[in-house]
Amino acid sequence: MTVFQSRKKRFVQAGALALTAALITGVAAQGPRIAEAFVYSGEKDARAGVVGELGEFQAKAYATSLTLADSGLSVVAADENDAEAADGSDTEAADTAKKEGTADAEKADEWASRTVANVETSMNVRGSAGEDGSIVGYLRRGDVAEVVSRADGWTEIRSGNVHGFVSDAYLLFGAEAEELADSITPLTATSTTDGLRVRGDASTDAGVISQLDSGEALAADASYDMAGGWVKVSVNGKEGYVNADYVTVERKYPVAVTVEEQQAIDAAAAKKAAEEAKAKAAAEEAAAAKKASSNQKAYDGSSTQNAAVEASVDDTTLLAGIIYCEAGNQPYEGQVAVGAVVMNRVRSGRYPSTIHDVIYQRSQFGPAGSGKLARAIANGSYKKCLSAAQDALAGTDPTNGAIGFKSTRSGHSGVVIGAHVFF
């Protein structure tokens, strides 16, 4: 082994080693930095020991006079201050940095061919470049698309089931596209196995707070360092950790939708909104009825006896007819109660003073205005309620003076007789 000395630089020659012309060409391109080269052996992760140093002039002269006799050696640049790296102690850090750099480069390349819709809601995807192109789909805010080509302010894209053209005015590309997409689309951790334990801390000794089935996903914390083999997730509003070996961590970016797909989405949303509105109305009605029902009293079978009122046959028929229309399907007490309301109004002084005028007062008894009452009298249906009308005329009052009634479902307070509440 030949050793060359210099105060500044180091070089190695092992056995009959000589550098090839190809190596010399590469080294020569480095100029004076040839004196900064280290020689590696062909064995994996092994380096020949540094056996000497060369001055710059010696190194240049030496390099130009060598030929390669052993192809198992290679030359790498190194400075005198890089002794620790040259000894191989920083290999792991170098490998990590290389991997990270490669990953960053791959990600940059990936986003170089992607675009994202930068709009408030959505933008049109057209069948041809230009505002006159037919609409074939929509890119919504944050939707990611693959760039096919770009020309004259229009980008041809593929996204989901959509292939068409969009205006560059509403798009972001490269790093800006990635930033917007990542801000909108959460990072998720999807279990690749059944029974995956979610622990309270990043340790197999930590307690289990939940379990995941295969394919089940949780929101992941993008700021958490997963180098330790754990992924930080959110489960039922709590922080948890899952083993990184059993999850796929990714952002599932949304894609464009066709016109037909958007129509189906809109229809489903409208149906859901209608169902929610109906459920809300029913809940409010039930709550109101429940609240008011606390002020409703069940009929106890008692009645008030008022003075009898003489009535003509026509008035008796009218009273029987309105009772039939309003309470023909109610128990007998409920029928008498409707007649009593009419008679209580006649006596009150706040309403018209005759049975006819009370029944036909505007906006009071619906059947009178709709013609239903007239039909009941004409076809004789009123006769089914003649007895109830006669009891009401005789002064029987199960309502204890009520002058109004409604369905019990209204929630109005009062005395409940059958399906009506009297007040």
Side-chain angles (χ1 to χ4, degrees):
M1 179 177 290
T2 305
V3 178
F4 300 89
Q5 299 287 344
S6 171
R7 293 182 60 188
K8 294 182 179 179
K9 308 295 177 182
R10 299 171 289 182
F11 201 75
V12 177
Q13 180 185 18
L17 169 65
L19 300 177
T20 62
L23 178 58
I24 291 172
T25 301
V27 170
Q30 301 296 320
R33 293 188 62 81
I34 179 60
E36 300 179 1
F38 284 106
V39 180
Y40 285 75
S41 74
E43 296 177 7
K44 183 176 181 179
D45 296 328
R47 172 179 293 185
V50 177
V51 294
E53 296 181 346
L54 292 177
E56 293 183 5
F57 176 80
Q58 293 170 311
K60 291 177 183 178
Y62 182 69
T64 56
S65 65
L66 295 178
T67 59
L68 183 62
D70 184 348
S71 60
L73 301 178
S74 60
V75 176
V76 295
D79 189 58
E80 183 176 289
N81 295 325
D82 295 335
E84 184 177 356
D87 291 337
S89 60
D90 201 31
T91 302
E92 183 177 351
D95 288 344
T96 299
K98 182 178 180 181
K99 291 178 181 177
E100 291 177 350
T102 301
D104 290 342
E106 290 176 349
K107 193 172 184 181
D109 290 343
E110 184 178 87
W111 280 95
S113 60
R114 286 179 171 179
T115 186
V116 172
N118 183 26
V119 290
E120 289 297 323
T121 54
S122 65
M123 63 184 295
N124 297 328
V125 181
R126 299 184 180 275
S128 58
E131 295 295 338
D132 295 333
S134 60
I135 298 175
V136 296
Y138 306 95
L139 268 180
R140 299 155 299 181
R141 178 172 175 80
D143 282 356
V144 176
E146 297 296 327
V147 176
V148 177
S149 64
R150 295 181 67 184
D152 302 325
W154 288 83
T155 296
E156 182 183 1
I157 61 99
R158 288 186 185 276
S159 181
N161 295 318
V162 179
H163 176 206
F165 297 80
V166 287
S167 171
D168 288 355
Y170 307 104
L171 297 175
L172 292 178
F173 300 88
E176 289 184 325
E178 179 186 359
E179 182 178 356
L180 177 60
D182 287 355
S183 70
I184 295 175
T185 305
L187 189 68
T188 59
T190 303
S191 175
T192 59
T193 184
D194 286 329
L196 176 63
R197 298 178 179 87
V198 182
R199 298 186 181 274
D201 203 353
S203 168
T204 55
D205 296 328
V208 177
I209 61 176
S210 184
Q211 287 189 330
L212 302 180
D213 292 331
S214 180
E216 191 173 353
L218 295 175
D221 186 347
S223 65
Y224 183 74
D225 185 1
M226 292 181 283
W230 292 88
V231 180
K232 186 177 181 181
V233 296
S234 176
V235 54
N236 299 326
K238 298 179 180 179
E239 291 182 355
Y241 298 82
V242 292
N243 192 314
D245 291 337
Y246 301 102
V247 292
T248 300
V249 181
E250 62 183 343
R251 281 187 169 88
K252 298 180 180 179
Y253 298 111
V255 294
V257 291
T258 64
V259 173
E260 295 75 18
E261 288 171 339
Q262 186 60 53
Q263 290 173 344
I265 292 171
D266 292 342
K271 181 179 180 181
K272 182 179 179 181
E275 291 174 346
E276 290 177 347
K278 184 178 180 180
K280 181 179 179 181
E284 291 175 347
E285 182 178 350
K290 182 178 180 180
K291 181 178 179 180
S293 65
S294 62
N295 295 321
Q296 291 181 350
K297 298 178 181 179
Y299 175 57
D300 60 6
S302 64
S303 62
T304 302
Q305 187 61 46
N306 298 313
V309 174
E310 292 186 6
S312 66
V313 174
D314 288 341
D315 283 344
T316 303
T317 300
L318 278 176
L319 185 59
I322 200 64
I323 292 173
Y324 173 79
C325 291
E326 295 284 9
N329 62 346
Q330 295 300 303
Y332 186 75
E333 292 82 358
Q335 295 177 2
V336 175
V338 170
V341 167
V342 174
M343 300 312 298
N344 288 336
R345 289 191 178 192
V346 171
R347 297 186 187 97
S348 72
R350 295 164 52 190
Y351 294 89
S353 58
T354 68
I355 294 174
H356 176 279
D357 290 348
V358 165
I359 292 175
Y360 280 97
Q361 186 178 7
R362 185 176 181 181
S363 302
Q364 295 301 307
F365 292 91
S370 68
K372 183 179 180 180
L373 174 58
R375 290 191 296 272
I377 293 174
N379 62 28
S381 298
Y382 73 94
K383 295 178 181 179
K384 298 177 181 180
C385 295
L386 268 176
S387 294
Q390 291 169 347
D391 280 348
L393 287 168
T396 302
D397 181 9
T399 71
N400 195 26
I403 57 174
F405 64 92
K406 288 184 176 182
S407 167
T408 54
R409 290 177 298 180
S410 67
H412 202 288
S413 60
V415 177
V416 175
I417 305 176
H420 293 131
V421 55
F422 295 84
F423 49 90

